[in-house]
Amino acid sequence: MRISAPRLEGWRLDAALALFTGAVLLASEPLFAAERGVPVSAPALAMLGVGAAGLAVVGRLPYLTAVVSPAAMVLYYMVSPSDGWMAWILLLVTVVRLAAVGDRAGVATAVLVTLVAVLIGEGLSFDPWRAVAVIAWLIVIFSVGESVRNRNAYLREVEQRAADAERGREEEARRRASEERLRIARELHDVVAHNISLINVQAGAAVHRRDPEDAFRALEAIRGASKETLRELRSTLGVLRQADREEEAPAGPAPTLDRLPELVEWTRAAGLRVVLDADAVADVSAPTELAVYRIVQEALTNAVRHSGAGGVRVRVAADGDAVRVGVDDDGTGGGPDLHEGNGLRGMRERAAALGGTFSAGPRDGGGFTVEARIPRRPGDGGRRT
């Protein structure tokens, strides 16, 4: 079992730092006094204690610490007969701690307070070597503080970038999951709505027909439509099961333009006259073929279910670097208050996802028309809605 030590942060770290620094300074002062052969000075100990106590509030009152601790260090050298070098730890710890919390102004204040106090003292009793040594120490301590501040700023920036990158990955994962759910919903809607509509029409016809031959033909159409529905559902569900196994082949081929005649035959079996006017279109990507097939499928489904049409014409032809598809029926046309449901929305999204255009609505002379133009080879810029 691993036991981790508690991490000191904030005021707890400042208090621990003040206690440790004060203990070291107060313990070292008698040693320096004994080495110099002078008595321990109570005012000197008091200055060391005040300077250490100032470190306890560096996080909450940084400018107070930046003034009190350096001033206490300078006063120590004015009242202490031992003149121990350990008092410089006060300034060093103050500057490093202020730099660690990113307070550059506090660092400059601490150094300037020390410099001003030293200049005043040297004005009373000038010693060139001592002045040079003090200035050198101030330069070193200020450089150490800047180094610590720059390093902490760099680490904070790295942490922020890592956090931003993580949020970006999570947002991208959510976006991809949302797009995948939308794609699967469109596929299931197109497959189920079209084939179940055909099955419903054929079942109604089989119930009302008295001729056994006509009933058998309707049942055969139902069998074919249900078989195709099951095949496409297995294919779609297989993609879901293989989401984490990309090396496996898909459960079945995606519909292509070559299967449009088969789709038209199934619709004709439902009693709708369908004329297919499809030209051979070369160099068409698989996503474009699937989109064209699904748009024709959904348009025929709407004609069977909603329009009351007797005839439909399906047009597929090349249009420059795109494929143009149109489905016209002679039904009621939906009227001016036509509501865009899942079918029309799904067709529009399919076309937009590949960088194409889509329009649908009543046509002149009666009926309803669906028009779409989809690039043969969609670029990366047109793959997202």
Side-chain angles (χ1 to χ4, degrees), residues 4 20 43 77 99 110 112 120 135 163 171 221 227-228 246 273 284 318 330 340 349 361 369 378-379:
S4 58
F20 178 77
Y77 282 110
L112 287 175
I120 293 174
I135 293 175
E171 291 174 0
K227 180 179 179 181
E228 177 64 16
E246 296 181 358
R273 299 188 308 276
V284 181
D330 58 3
E340 183 174 289
E349 290 173 352
T369 183

Side-chain angles (χ1 to χ4, degrees), residues 68-80:
V68 170
S69 295
M73 182 198 74
V74 175
L75 291 174
Y76 162 80
Y77 282 110
M78 295 176 65
V79 301
S80 173

Side-chain angles (χ1 to χ4, degrees), residues 297-312:
Q297 184 182 50
E298 181 60 31
L300 291 176
T301 301
N302 290 340
V304 171
R305 295 175 60 189
H306 306 301
S307 72
V312 180

Side-chain angles (χ1 to χ4, degrees), residues 75-275:
L75 291 174
Y76 162 80
Y77 282 110
M78 295 176 65
V79 301
S80 173
S82 63
D83 201 26
W85 60 267
M86 287 288 288
W88 279 94
I89 291 179
L90 271 176
L91 180 61
L92 178 62
V93 173
T94 300
V95 168
V96 171
R97 183 65 183 128
L98 287 170
V101 298
D103 195 335
R104 189 175 192 179
V107 172
T109 301
V111 174
L112 287 175
V113 167
T114 306
L115 181 60
V116 170
V118 168
L119 291 176
I120 293 174
E122 290 298 326
L124 300 176
S125 176
F126 180 71
D127 184 343
W129 294 110
R130 183 176 60 196
V132 171
V134 169
I135 293 175
W137 272 111
L138 290 177
I139 293 174
V140 170
I141 291 174
F142 181 77
S143 300
V144 170
E146 279 294 287
S147 176
V148 172
R149 189 189 65 82
N150 291 334
R151 179 180 180 275
N152 287 348
Y154 171 75
L155 292 178
R156 284 192 293 269
E157 183 179 357
V158 169
E159 291 176 357
Q160 183 63 36
R161 288 180 179 178
D164 292 343
E166 182 64 24
R167 284 194 296 270
R169 286 192 294 269
E170 292 176 356
E171 291 174 0
E172 178 67 13
R174 286 194 294 268
R175 185 191 64 78
R176 289 181 179 273
S178 178
E179 289 184 353
E180 186 64 14
R181 286 195 297 270
L182 182 61
R183 186 191 67 80
I184 293 171
R186 284 198 300 262
E187 289 292 321
L188 290 176
H189 174 271
D190 291 346
V191 171
V192 174
H194 177 76
N195 291 324
I196 295 301
S197 296
L198 296 183
I199 291 173
N200 180 66
V201 171
Q202 292 294 344
V207 168
H208 293 92
R209 288 173 182 172
R210 302 304 178 187
D211 187 351
E213 290 297 327
D214 292 339
F216 284 137
R217 281 195 295 271
L219 292 175
E220 183 65 24
I222 291 173
R223 187 180 73 85
S226 61
K227 180 179 179 181
E228 177 64 16
T229 302
L230 290 174
R231 187 193 70 78
E232 295 215 31
L233 284 177
R234 280 196 298 268
S235 177
T236 303
L237 295 176
V239 171
L240 294 177
R241 295 190 185 100
Q242 297 168 8
D244 297 327
R245 295 176 292 173
E246 296 181 358
E247 69 278 2
E248 296 186 14
T256 62
L257 297 180
D258 295 336
R259 294 186 58 191
L260 285 177
E262 182 181 354
L263 177 64
V264 168
E265 287 300 322
W266 292 336
T267 308
R268 286 171 180 164
L272 190 65
R273 299 188 308 276
V274 183
V275 176

Side-chain angles (χ1 to χ4, degrees), residues 5 11 29 35 39 73 92 118 139 262 296 317 322 335 348 383:
W11 68 268
E29 178 61 17
E35 183 181 351
M73 182 198 74
L92 178 62
V118 168
I139 293 174
E262 182 181 354
V296 172
R348 188 181 306 280
R383 293 184 183 274

